[in-house]
Amino acid sequence: MASSEAIIRGSPVLDPDTLLMLQVRDDSAEAFEQLVVRYQTRLLTVLEHLCGNRTQAEDLAQEVFLRVYRARKRYVPGAKFSTWLFKIANNVASNARRSRRRRREVNLVGRESGPLGARPLDKLAQAASGLMPTRRLDKAEIVEAVQLAMQSLNDRQRMVVLLSKFEEMSYTDIADTMGMTTPAIKSLLFRARGQLRTILEPYLNEGQLPPGEE
Amino acid sequence: MNDPRREPEAASGEDAQLVAYLDGELDDESRAALERRLGDDAPFRQRLQQLQQVWDVLDVLPRATADESFTRTTLELAVVRDAGQAARPPGGGRLWAGPRLRRLATLAVAGLAGYLVVAVAVQRPQRQMLRDLPVIENLDVYQYVDSVEFLRMLEREGLFPPEEHDVP
């Protein structure tokens, strides 16, 4: 396999993280530490919103970095490093979801506490339908409402929104990350945004939420 | 079987165009046409603003933070596990087999040590009782004696025949 220096000389357009990964491939612990420091918060943010649980997000993020390190000798610079990293993250998260389903664990999506109280998604739906009187939202409730709206998305929709919003990935990069076609990503994102709009728009316009959840 | 790469159906319609516009995914020609319409069509423009508003509100979602401890444990985990994997002979089993065996061995040693401690603790009173057995057996007789010195004097006089069980 060619050394990282030879690859760098032969490829004028490599992103800095890919260059770091090539050093990791050559067993540079410092380069690996730099990559971890650069990506850990981004990865944790996506994984935490994806699985709704900080502890699990940390476990998954460490598993992702572990896989990156284990795969270093086979690493071939192709797509952007971030795309490769989040592709691994998507696989790790999918595997974890499958394992959870097999173990029949309780899904955290249906949380029943917080500013919106019990069965908050039902209340958001009622608000969207205009059946309930309203009151002004505070900051914590806006965060809670947006989190609940995100959790109302299916796993793929949530991932595509997170990659687009937080990672500012193009449709092509998201498609590469998730192993789908670009038109499929466009459609998935469109539907996800539609779902978010249906839930959030009715009271975002007015800045209001259902009452009784002081 | 469904091919995930083909799902879902392609988006179409005005909202899909607006979303693609907001995401910077339209080609130059489509973008120019859409911007011309936005200039002329107020409801269309309002629709764009609504889509943008919902997208912008996602900014309230908290960003995770990672402390130094997370970084350190991640690095240690990667390097240690990788080293463990490299040190294992080919076909030597799964990654966790080495550490698992070590944990089992540690448990076995700890269990054996615990057994020995308990066994010694249990035997100690029994040994003491065995040493005191001659006294216990003759306790009724000793109750009539005022002092040990008097007993020793009788022994020196050859009053007590030797008995086998006097020595523990």
Side-chain angles (χ1 to χ4, degrees):
Chain A
M1 185 181 289
S3 72
S4 58
E5 288 178 10
I7 291 173
I8 292 164
R9 281 198 302 273
S11 304
V13 215
L14 285 179
D15 75 273
D17 298 331
T18 301
L19 296 178
L20 275 176
M21 189 59 212
L22 287 170
Q23 292 174 42
V24 174
R25 197 185 70 179
D26 294 341
D27 291 327
S28 166
E30 292 80 8
F32 182 63
E33 183 174 358
Q34 281 188 56
L35 280 177
V36 170
V37 170
R38 279 193 195 194
Y39 279 94
Q40 59 188 1
T41 54
R42 291 165 60 179
L43 198 53
L44 280 170
T45 297
V46 168
L47 290 171
E48 190 170 343
H49 287 301
L50 198 60
C51 61
N53 179 302
R54 168 71 188 200
T55 305
Q56 193 186 6
E58 286 189 359
D59 289 345
L60 295 180
Q62 288 188 327
E63 177 65 23
V64 171
F65 284 123
L66 181 61
R67 288 193 186 196
V68 166
Y69 195 71
R70 277 187 195 157
R72 68 191 186 283
K73 294 295 181 187
R74 301 188 301 275
Y75 178 72
V76 178
K80 282 192 292 187
F81 173 79
S82 58
T83 307
W84 183 62
L85 181 80
F86 281 98
K87 181 185 278 190
I88 295 173
N90 187 49
N91 290 339
V92 167
S94 298
N95 291 344
R97 275 196 299 270
R98 275 196 292 273
S99 297
R100 271 206 314 278
R101 282 176 190 141
R102 276 198 296 270
R103 291 197 305 268
R104 297 176 182 277
E105 284 186 358
V106 177
N107 195 336
L108 292 171
V109 166
R111 286 185 296 165
E112 295 203 348
S113 60
L116 297 179
R119 302 185 64 79
L121 278 176
D122 291 352
K123 295 194 172 174
L124 284 178
Q126 279 184 298
S129 71
L131 292 176
M132 293 183 73
T134 55
R135 66 172 171 79
R136 188 152 294 281
L137 283 171
D138 62 29
K139 176 72 188 298
E141 287 172 326
I142 293 175
V143 172
E144 177 93 358
V146 174
Q147 285 177 329
L148 290 169
M150 284 290 289
Q151 288 165 1
S152 76
L153 304 177
N154 67 37
D155 295 332
R156 285 196 306 183
Q157 286 176 330
R158 196 156 53 245
M159 186 63 168
V160 83
V161 166
L162 291 169
L163 292 177
S164 177
K165 181 67 185 176
F166 289 154
E167 287 300 310
E168 299 180 348
M169 279 191 186
S170 67
Y171 289 179
T172 307
D173 284 346
I174 297 173
D176 192 14
T177 299
M178 298 182 66
M180 299 173 74
T181 63
T182 303
I185 293 299
K186 182 181 179 184
S187 182
L188 201 56
L189 196 50
F190 171 70
R191 287 164 192 272
R193 290 174 81 139
Q195 169 100 354
L196 292 173
R197 191 178 67 234
T198 301
I199 293 176
L200 295 173
E201 195 175 66
Y203 58 87
L204 277 181
N205 288 339
E206 306 296 327
Q208 292 176 331
L209 254 191
E213 322 295 341
E214 301 292 348
Chain B
M1 182 183 282
N2 289 334
D3 179 1
R5 295 179 63 89
R6 296 180 64 84
E7 292 179 330
E9 296 171 6
S12 59
E14 290 182 345
D15 278 0
Q17 283 294 96
L18 287 173
V19 167
Y21 174 72
L22 289 173
D23 290 338
E25 294 283 343
L26 287 184
D27 57 45
D28 291 346
E29 189 180 342
S30 303
R31 189 175 65 250
L34 190 135
E35 286 174 346
R36 276 196 300 277
R37 185 176 169 191
L38 284 172
D40 300 334
D41 189 339
F44 192 56
R45 198 162 51 245
Q46 189 181 6
R47 197 80 201 120
L48 178 77
Q49 287 166 349
Q50 288 169 336
L51 284 167
Q52 184 65 56
Q53 185 190 24
V54 170
W55 196 242
D56 287 345
V57 82
L58 297 185
D59 287 330
V60 303
L61 287 171
R63 261 61 167 179
T65 54
D67 56 21
E68 209 171 289
S69 160
F70 176 81
T71 311
R72 192 179 61 252
T73 52
T74 302
L75 294 172
E76 287 172 357
L77 189 72
V79 174
V80 168
R81 281 204 187 173
D82 186 72
Q85 191 177 35
R88 213 173 48 248
R94 297 180 60 179
L95 179 67
W96 47 265
R100 195 184 198 201
L101 279 178
R102 278 196 294 276
R103 280 197 296 273
L104 285 174
T106 305
L107 276 175
V109 169
L112 182 62
Y115 169 78
L116 290 174
V117 167
V118 170
V120 167
V122 167
Q123 284 177 2
R124 185 170 295 165
Q126 291 172 342
R127 286 180 182 169
Q128 182 65 38
M129 194 174 285
L130 199 60
R131 273 198 298 274
D132 295 342
L133 185 60
V135 178
I136 294 167
E137 284 179 339
N138 297 293
L139 190 61
D140 293 340
V141 177
Y142 294 153
Q143 281 176 342
Y144 295 103
V145 177
D146 289 335
S147 69
V148 174
E149 191 53 41
F150 176 68
L151 279 177
R152 286 182 179 150
M153 189 189 74
L154 293 177
E155 187 183 26
R156 282 197 296 272
E157 295 296 326
L159 217 62
F160 302 129
E163 293 184 25
E164 288 179 6
H165 59 265
D166 278 353
V167 181

